[in-house]
Amino acid sequence: VASIDSRPASGTRDLLGPEVVRRERVFATVREVFARHGFEPLDTPAFERLEVLEGKYGEEGDQLIFKILRRGEHERTGEADLALRYDLTVPLARVVAQYSDEIVEPYKRYQISPVWRADRPGKGRFREFIQCDVDVVGTDARTADAEVIVTVADALAALGIEGYEVQLNSRQALHGLMEAYAIPAELEGSALVALDKLDKIGPDGVLDELADRGVPADAVTRLGADLRADDVSDRARRSLETTERGKHGLAEVDEVLGLVQPGLRGGSIRFAPLLARGLDYYTGPIVEFTHPDAHGSIAAGGRYDDLVGMFTNRDIPATGCSIGVERVLQLVDEGTAADHAPDVLVTVFDEDAAGDASAVARRLREAGLDVDLYLGSGRLGKQLRYADRRGIRYCVVRGPDELAAGQAAVKDLETGEQVAVGEDDLAEHLRGLLSARRDDR
Amino acid sequence: VASIDSRPASGTRDLLGPEVVRRERVFATVREVFARHGFEPLDTPAFERLEVLEGKYGEEGDQLIFKILRRGEHERTGEADLALRYDLTVPLARVVAQYSDEIVEPYKRYQISPVWRADRPGKGRFREFIQCDVDVVGTDARTADAEVIVTVADALAALGIEGYEVQLNSRQALHGLMEAYAIPAELEGSALVALDKLDKIGPDGVLDELADRGVPADAVTRLGADLRADDVSDRARRSLETTERGKHGLAEVDEVLGLVQPGLRGGSIRFAPLLARGLDYYTGPIVEFTHPDAHGSIAAGGRYDDLVGMFTNRDIPATGCSIGVERVLQLVDEGTAADHAPDVLVTVFDEDAAGDASAVARRLREAGLDVDLYLGSGRLGKQLRYADRRGIRYCVVRGPDELAAGQAAVKDLETGEQVAVGEDDLAEHLRGLLSARRDDR
């Protein structure tokens, strides 16, 4: 058995103590903000019946679905009947169909859960990763689009992330713009795909690709002029005023801007007329959060009115935003190892002292301290090394001398100092040391 | 597409808002207690390479593993190379082998994560369920066995669960007892399986089964006398004193009792000489938490010194306990719907009032209230019904009259009362109402 590889499966990660604590704190903050904005959580199973997921993500996406073998005697057939969740949107659509009696619309829900994709693993690309989605289902009100943006922005602010920029556009406006540039209707989708690569391949790359995709030269020229202009948003506004769809889209953008802007703290929002967003299911306002210290977007979403109704016979408007958890985690202050470590280690002098050490640990815990008890005994040096490696600064030591004197020694591993304290004052003494340390920061 | 079944896959559940909130609160409390006792969290991937899991759970267990198909062109072969986590112990053993440089032993870790088993779904039996494990790896100190019990007991106490009973035994003591009863060594395992059913089939059932399994009649008689005795623990103590293994096991039990008993609040602990625990990997103290209001055990565990070393070439002693999350959730006070609902709904008089309503919601949120903003407008009755269904008691209403007067009306859906409040006093007024409500309980 010793020959079995002990690494996690390709594309997945084990998260040890401090990393889990750090992530949990971030999730707790985000959940709190979502709740403060009236969103409620949802939890769906890790796997769905295969038919629920298949055919929902396009050919490329479908190939990335992890499929689960039938059990029992059917296992030999090699057939799959279940599959791991690929995103949180299809399960949301299923839930909305299944619990229409219980769910109150507009349904404001969030879900922070892992999803699985059989992507080729790479730097920063995992086969298991957390998605963090907020969505409003069942209303086409502009306030819903705004509420989602405000909620995500407030979550970033609560995490101490400042200087983010919200880029806002509308699919309606984009269509209007394509019309204004006289891009043929049948090439619109193709043109949007090219436009979506602006960040990656730059203006010249986009224009080359548009030409390659058969967009007429004069349309490419018109679009190119706006693409390179400093006042792209003003120019686009003028273009948009020339078509009905353009006007409609612009009104949509301005309404959302008007609702979001007054309350935005720590970041800014602007009309981004060339923002396209890759996915083709968006139907209204679309949004992307970027940050100077992060690569790509840290959150993104939009309105998708034709998707949630997939399991019902009615149209269900919806709008949402997904926070890029891994990128956001990189922007959050790490804290020190000591932030995640217990406050104190109670050492155990020898086997006979185990009962006394347990009692000391119990009293300190009852006083509200995070207390580790060394599980073993003897060789103080080993116990102190354990504390040091776990990031624990203070150790309680109680040998026969201290015990006889009704005292305990408190050793500070950072300074090496050791002081004797009366056993009844121990909790108070440690609390003093810990709060002084906190004030130092 | 409308014909797709929108239920979750067989044996799995969707958890809607209030249920997720309730569970998250319980998990948060448990995590806090684990941290206060110096345990650190661990998070491992949902799936493992198949070879990591296969052959670890016995023939029956292995058949319950959910297997994941190879991807890409290999999919057609119908072969599996990954599998969903079946428990949290095998991943722990893998992690201990993989990160021996980073992990500080004794390693005190907890993990609260879903596991998946292809069991036949039934009442209260799911194919996806949460396990909540605390373990200490890398020491055979009795303090470790005690620490695990104390930590679980403190978690139950923190959840407000009182009156639990901890039954403590030792595998060593059990072996000694079998010796004392003169049960042939080769029938010991078989006898323990019968004994483990005591709760289900009663003393007569156990004795019948022992006889069926070939245990000699005089041994059955001796065991039967203890099994039916009121002073079973005293009788067992006397029997245990007659063998070396018995004495050793009894010392183990008494040591753990001595460490745990002084600190136990809200429950009691006792020596349970006939407690067997089904799993055959236990090697030392074993423990079961029961509660008069719960069926079966609410937590259980023990020492298992031969399991964690499975991926390494060294023996690694370990002891742990698993909390039965579903049973514990049933013992926790549910709270009312209002406990999980936002504090206030800000209604939206008409489309033109959306900006004002957004601003009101923002100010109340900044004041620390949980605020839902109605996403839509018009028909106050519909908006109030929405609040009522979500369990929101207070609604802010601001029509043209209130707006002109610089006021907002606060409607109490429970009493039907409505009062006008100056807009600058709104947050304070609502806070007063909410804290009065809290005091009422």
Side-chain angles (χ1 to χ4, degrees), chain A residues 6-7 14-15 38 43 46 49 67 75 94 98-99 101 108 128 147 365 371-372 389-390, chain B residues 6-7 14-15 38 43 49 67 69 75 94 98-99 101 108 128 147 365 372 389-390:
Chain A
S6 62
R7 286 174 304 176
D14 295 312
L15 302 173
D43 202 4
R49 272 171 288 99
K67 294 173 188 160
E75 200 173 284
R94 185 182 57 68
Q98 179 65 19
Y99 308 97
D101 290 347
K108 302 171 76 171
E128 171 180 76
E147 182 86 332
R365 284 166 184 164
V371 179
D372 195 3
R389 286 193 64 193
R390 287 206 65 185
Chain B
S6 63
R7 286 174 303 176
D14 296 311
L15 302 173
D43 202 4
R49 270 170 289 99
K67 295 173 190 162
L69 270 182
E75 200 173 285
R94 185 182 57 68
Q98 178 66 18
Y99 308 97
D101 291 346
K108 302 171 77 170
E128 172 181 76
E147 182 86 332
R365 284 166 184 165
D372 195 3
R389 287 194 62 192
R390 286 205 66 185

Side-chain angles (χ1 to χ4, degrees), chain B residues 4 20 58-59 62 89-90 97 101 113 140 166 213 245 354 375 431 436 440:
Chain B
I4 292 183
V20 180
E59 204 180 319
D62 274 5
T89 308
V90 169
D101 291 346
S113 297
D140 56 10
V166 188
R213 286 172 181 266
R245 282 172 105 185
L375 301 175
R431 245 203 303 260
D440 274 358

Side-chain angles (χ1 to χ4, degrees), chain A residues 281-283 303-310 315-318:
Chain A
Y281 56 61
Y282 290 113
T283 57
R303 175 165 288 280
Y304 52 102
D305 284 345
D306 304 328
L307 198 68
V308 174
M310 67 172 89
D315 281 341
I316 306 178

Side-chain angles (χ1 to χ4, degrees), chain B residues 377-429:
Chain B
S377 59
R379 288 179 55 206
L380 185 63
K382 189 180 173 189
Q383 298 188 40
L384 298 183
R385 211 153 47 240
Y386 166 91
D388 188 50
R389 287 194 62 192
R390 286 205 66 185
I392 302 173
R393 177 164 171 184
Y394 301 106
C395 293
V396 173
V397 181
R398 209 152 117 103
D401 294 348
E402 284 89 2
L403 200 60
Q407 292 186 323
V410 174
K411 195 172 176 68
D412 181 337
L413 294 191
E414 212 169 297
T415 64
E417 277 170 35
Q418 182 168 323
V419 291
V421 183
E423 56 190 14
D424 293 338
D425 304 326
L426 186 58
E428 201 48 49
H429 179 78

Side-chain angles (χ1 to χ4, degrees), chain A residues 152-398:
Chain A
V152 169
D154 282 353
L156 296 177
L159 291 170
I161 296 173
E162 298 208 327
Y164 59 84
E165 190 178 59
V166 188
Q167 302 191 46
L168 177 70
N169 199 7
S170 144
R171 270 295 162 94
Q172 297 300 324
L174 258 182
H175 290 308
L177 206 57
M178 297 299 112
E179 255 177 62
Y181 294 143
I183 290 174
E186 70 276 14
L187 288 177
E188 242 190 62
S190 181
L192 291 185
V193 172
L195 209 51
D196 193 45
K197 298 182 186 165
L198 184 57
D199 274 358
K200 284 184 199 140
I201 61 180
D204 290 337
V206 170
L207 297 175
D208 285 351
E209 190 166 328
L210 286 170
D212 286 351
R213 286 171 182 266
V215 174
D218 54 337
V220 173
T221 307
R222 262 189 297 259
L223 201 160
D226 277 7
L227 207 57
R228 289 209 181 79
D230 288 336
D231 58 343
V232 49
S233 124
D234 291 340
R235 293 174 70 117
R237 277 184 183 274
R238 281 193 297 272
S239 298
L240 287 170
E241 297 291 356
T242 65
T243 74
E244 275 314 302
R245 282 172 105 183
K247 270 190 254 184
H248 176 82
L250 198 54
E252 204 168 61
V253 166
D254 284 336
E255 250 186 283
V256 175
L257 275 178
L259 289 167
V260 171
Q261 210 147 31
L264 213 62
R265 284 166 310 157
S268 58
I269 184 167
R270 68 176 178 86
F271 171 40
L274 297 170
L275 175 73
R277 302 277 305 118
L279 298 165
D280 62 359
Y281 56 61
Y282 290 113
T283 57
I286 51 178
V287 73
E288 236 177 68
F289 286 68
T290 57
H291 189 278
D293 299 340
H295 205 72
S297 68
I298 56 172
R303 175 165 288 280
Y304 52 102
D305 284 345
D306 304 328
L307 198 68
V308 174
M310 67 172 89
F311 297 107
T312 59
N313 284 316
R314 59 187 179 112
D315 281 341
I316 306 178
T319 184
C321 195
S322 188
I323 296 180
V325 170
E326 297 301 332
R327 286 175 185 167
V328 163
L329 278 165
Q330 282 167 13
L331 295 177
V332 175
D333 182 23
E334 295 265 337
T336 66
D339 289 337
H340 311 305
D343 298 323
V344 184
L345 175 74
V346 175
T347 61
V348 183
F349 188 78
D350 58 20
E351 253 181 71
D352 293 338
D356 176 63
S358 296
V360 170
R362 185 173 66 245
R363 283 198 300 272
L364 294 178
R365 284 166 184 164
E366 283 168 2
L369 298 173
D370 287 359
V371 179
D372 195 3
L373 170 68
Y374 189 78
L375 301 174
S377 60
R379 287 180 54 209
L380 185 63
K382 190 180 172 187
Q383 299 188 39
L384 298 182
R385 211 153 47 239
Y386 166 91
D388 187 50
R389 286 193 64 193
R390 287 206 65 185
I392 302 172
R393 178 164 169 183
Y394 302 106
C395 294
V396 173
V397 180
R398 210 151 115 105

Side-chain angles (χ1 to χ4, degrees), chain A residues 1-2 4-9 12-18 20-21 24 31 35-38 40-47 49 51-52 56 66-69 71 75 78 80 82 84 94-95 97-99 101-106 108 116 118 127-128 136 139 141 143-144 147 259 262-263 265 310-313 342 354-355 358 362 365-366 369-376 386 389-390, chain B residues 1-2 4-9 12-18 20-21 24 31 35-38 40-47 49 51-52 56 66-69 71 75 78 80 82 84 94-95 97-99 101-106 108 116 118 127-128 136 139 141 143-144 147 259 262-263 265 310-313 342 354-355 358 362 365-366 369-376 386 389-390:
Chain A
V1 188
I4 291 183
D5 189 346
S6 62
R7 286 174 304 176
T12 69
R13 292 165 287 179
D14 295 312
L15 302 173
L16 301 185
V20 180
V21 172
E24 278 300 332
R31 275 193 210 106
R36 204 190 317 139
H37 289 74
E40 54 178 271
L42 171 67
D43 202 4
T44 64
F47 54 70
R49 272 171 288 99
E51 56 167 1
V52 168
K56 308 297 187 301
F66 279 109
K67 294 173 188 160
I68 298 171
L69 270 181
R71 270 78 43 210
E75 200 173 284
L82 300 171
L84 288 179
R94 185 182 57 68
V95 160
Q98 179 65 19
Y99 308 97
D101 290 347
E102 287 168 66
I103 286 173
V104 192
E105 290 188 9
K108 302 171 76 171
W116 296 271
R127 293 180 146 196
E128 171 180 76
V136 180
T139 177
T143 40
E147 182 86 332
L259 289 167
R265 284 166 310 157
M310 67 172 89
F311 297 107
T312 59
N313 284 316
S358 296
R362 185 173 66 245
R365 284 166 184 164
E366 283 168 2
L369 298 173
D370 287 359
V371 179
D372 195 3
L373 170 68
Y374 189 78
L375 301 174
Y386 166 91
R389 286 193 64 193
R390 287 206 65 185
Chain B
V1 188
I4 292 183
D5 188 346
S6 63
R7 286 174 303 176
T12 69
R13 291 165 288 179
D14 296 311
L15 302 173
L16 300 186
V20 180
V21 172
E24 278 300 332
R31 275 193 211 107
R36 204 190 317 140
H37 289 73
E40 55 179 87
L42 171 67
D43 202 4
T44 63
F47 54 70
R49 270 170 289 99
E51 56 167 1
V52 168
K56 309 297 186 300
F66 279 109
K67 295 173 190 162
I68 298 172
L69 270 182
R71 270 76 44 210
E75 200 173 285
L82 299 171
L84 288 178
R94 185 182 57 68
V95 160
Q98 178 66 18
Y99 308 97
D101 291 346
E102 287 166 65
I103 286 172
V104 191
E105 288 187 13
K108 302 171 77 170
W116 296 270
R127 294 182 146 193
E128 172 181 76
V136 180
T139 177
T143 41
E147 182 86 332
L259 289 168
R265 285 165 310 155
M310 68 173 88
F311 298 108
T312 58
N313 284 317
S358 295
R362 185 172 67 245
R365 284 166 184 165
E366 283 167 4
L369 298 172
D370 287 359
V371 179
D372 195 3
L373 170 66
Y374 189 78
L375 301 175
Y386 166 91
R389 287 194 62 192
R390 286 205 66 185

Side-chain angles (χ1 to χ4, degrees), chain B residues 67-369:
Chain B
K67 295 173 190 162
I68 298 172
L69 270 182
R70 276 182 200 280
R71 270 76 44 210
E73 52 182 319
H74 305 292
E75 200 173 285
R76 270 172 283 131
T77 64
E79 265 177 70
D81 60 346
L82 299 171
L84 288 178
R85 180 168 62 203
Y86 179 90
D87 71 358
L88 305 178
T89 308
V90 169
L92 170 64
R94 185 182 57 68
V95 160
V96 168
Q98 178 66 18
Y99 308 97
S100 53
D101 291 346
E102 287 166 65
I103 286 172
V104 191
E105 288 187 13
Y107 178 39
K108 302 171 77 170
R109 89 88 178 77
Y110 70 88
Q111 183 166 5
I112 305 176
S113 297
V115 301
W116 296 270
R117 294 181 186 179
D119 240 321
R120 193 176 297 275
K123 196 170 172 299
R125 193 166 59 239
F126 299 102
R127 294 182 146 193
E128 172 181 76
F129 59 96
I130 301 282
Q131 282 201 336
C132 172
D133 285 13
V134 254
D135 295 85
V136 180
V137 174
T139 177
D140 56 10
R142 283 299 145 257
T143 41
D145 301 291
E147 182 86 332
V148 164
I149 298 171
V150 164
T151 302
V152 169
D154 283 353
L156 296 178
L159 291 171
I161 297 173
E162 299 207 327
Y164 58 85
E165 191 179 57
V166 188
Q167 302 191 46
L168 178 70
N169 198 8
S170 144
R171 270 294 162 96
Q172 298 299 324
L174 258 182
H175 290 307
L177 205 57
M178 298 299 113
E179 251 179 82
Y181 294 143
I183 290 175
E186 69 278 13
L187 288 176
E188 241 190 64
S190 181
L192 291 186
V193 171
L195 208 51
D196 193 45
K197 299 182 188 165
L198 183 55
D199 273 357
K200 284 182 200 140
I201 61 180
D204 290 337
V206 170
L207 297 175
D208 285 351
E209 189 165 328
L210 285 170
D212 287 350
R213 286 172 181 266
V215 174
D218 55 337
V220 173
T221 309
R222 261 189 297 258
L223 201 160
D226 278 7
L227 207 55
R228 289 210 182 77
D230 287 336
D231 58 343
V232 50
S233 124
D234 292 340
R235 293 173 70 116
R237 278 183 181 277
R238 282 193 296 273
S239 299
L240 286 169
E241 297 290 357
T242 65
T243 75
E244 275 315 301
R245 282 172 105 185
K247 270 190 255 185
H248 176 82
L250 199 54
E252 205 168 60
V253 165
D254 284 336
E255 250 186 282
V256 175
L257 274 178
L259 289 168
V260 171
Q261 210 146 31
L264 214 60
R265 285 165 310 155
S268 59
I269 184 166
R270 67 177 180 85
F271 172 40
L274 297 170
L275 175 72
R277 302 276 306 117
L279 297 166
D280 60 0
Y281 56 62
Y282 291 111
T283 57
I286 50 179
V287 74
E288 237 178 66
F289 286 68
T290 56
H291 190 279
D293 299 340
H295 205 72
S297 67
I298 56 171
R303 174 164 289 280
Y304 52 102
D305 284 345
D306 304 328
L307 198 68
V308 174
M310 68 173 88
F311 298 108
T312 58
N313 284 317
R314 60 188 179 112
D315 281 343
I316 306 178
T319 184
C321 194
S322 189
I323 297 179
V325 170
E326 299 300 334
R327 285 174 184 167
V328 163
L329 278 166
Q330 282 168 12
L331 296 177
V332 175
D333 181 23
E334 295 265 338
T336 65
D339 289 337
H340 309 307
D343 299 321
V344 183
L345 175 73
V346 176
T347 62
V348 183
F349 188 76
D350 59 20
E351 252 181 72
D352 293 339
D356 177 63
S358 295
V360 169
R362 185 172 67 245
R363 282 198 301 270
L364 294 178
R365 284 166 184 165
E366 283 167 4
L369 298 172

